[in-house]
């Protein structure tokens, strides 16, 4: 997100764009064991049978975390989120349905309860009623539909995922490239803008420029026009 501080300058905060970029540690043990042992795979499938297997995947699904482990004895799972609560991780608390993927296995789950627990989020998925069933979900990546993200209260706040892909131009209408990624340096967000260039061998190449996502440089963000106007020269 970017937001105005009291001095009127927009400050950056990590948000949903980090969901599609930032990895979390997760165990693939359950999936690996199942591949070695067909019987284990069948047992895993039985434990996950309460979750809905899906073939149609939402077009606006955004990865927001991964299942790290079981939590407790009653079917709760522990999620490593790609953003903290208050910085985008809130969607895991507010969304009533998650979409889960591990390899080619895709499932949908209704969320009955979710809450923060230290630097993780713990949740109960409908139909997952014991520790074994929760443990079998380790390694699933967790997605939430973009339409389920909480509404931002400030007009100067943005989800990273909505900025990626926007054209960047300067105030003289010179095209600077497209937002390929967002970076959080701990103080503010930075746009990584890619643009076509020519390599040392004379062949087409892709170059990048890093533009701080702060008010002194970012003048307007027009999501409808898919354009960001910045005070930045092409030769910076």
């Amino acid at each position: 997100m970017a937001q105005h501080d009291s001095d009127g300058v927009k400050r950056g905060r990590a948000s949903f764009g980090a969901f599609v970029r930032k990895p979390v540690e997760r165990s693939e043990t359950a999936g690996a064991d199942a591949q070695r042992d067909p019987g284990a795979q069948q047992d895993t499938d039985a434990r996950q049978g309460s979750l809905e297997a899906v073939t149609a995947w939402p077009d606006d699904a955004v990865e927001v975390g991964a299942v790290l482990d079981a939590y407790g004895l009653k079917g709760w799972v522990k999620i490593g989120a790609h953003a903290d609560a208050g910085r985008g991780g809130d969607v895991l608390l507010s969304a009533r349905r998650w979409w889960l993927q591990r390899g080619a296995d895709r499932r949908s789950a209704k969320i009955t309860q979710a809450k923060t627990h230290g630097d993780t989020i713990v949740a109960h998925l409908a139909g997952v009623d014991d520790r074994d069933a929760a443990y079998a979900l380790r390694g699933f990546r967790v997605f939430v539909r973009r339409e389920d993200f909480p509404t931002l209260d400030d007009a100067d706040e943005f989800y990273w995922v909505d900025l990626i892909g926007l054209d960047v131009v300067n105030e003289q209408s010179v095209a600077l490239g497209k937002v390929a990624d967002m970076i959080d340096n701990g103080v503010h967000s930075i746009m990584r803008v890619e643009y076509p260039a020519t390599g040392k061998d004379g062949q087409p190449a892709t170059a990048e420029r890093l533009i701080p996502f702060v008010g002194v440089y970012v003048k307007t963000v027009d999501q409808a026009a898919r354009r960001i106007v910045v005070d930045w020269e092409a030769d910076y």
Side-chain angles (χ1 to χ4, degrees), residues 45-53 107-109 125-129 133:
D45 289 343
R47 290 196 298 269
Q48 295 170 359
S50 56
L51 301 182
E52 302 173 25
R107 298 175 184 267
S108 176
L125 284 57
V128 179
D129 297 324

Side-chain angles (χ1 to χ4, degrees), residues 31-62:
D33 289 345
Q35 289 179 1
R36 289 192 295 268
D37 182 353
Q41 179 63 60
Q42 292 175 2
D43 186 47
T44 296
D45 289 343
R47 290 196 298 269
Q48 295 170 359
S50 56
L51 301 182
E52 302 173 25
V54 296
T55 53
W57 196 253
D59 292 336
D60 61 345
V62 178

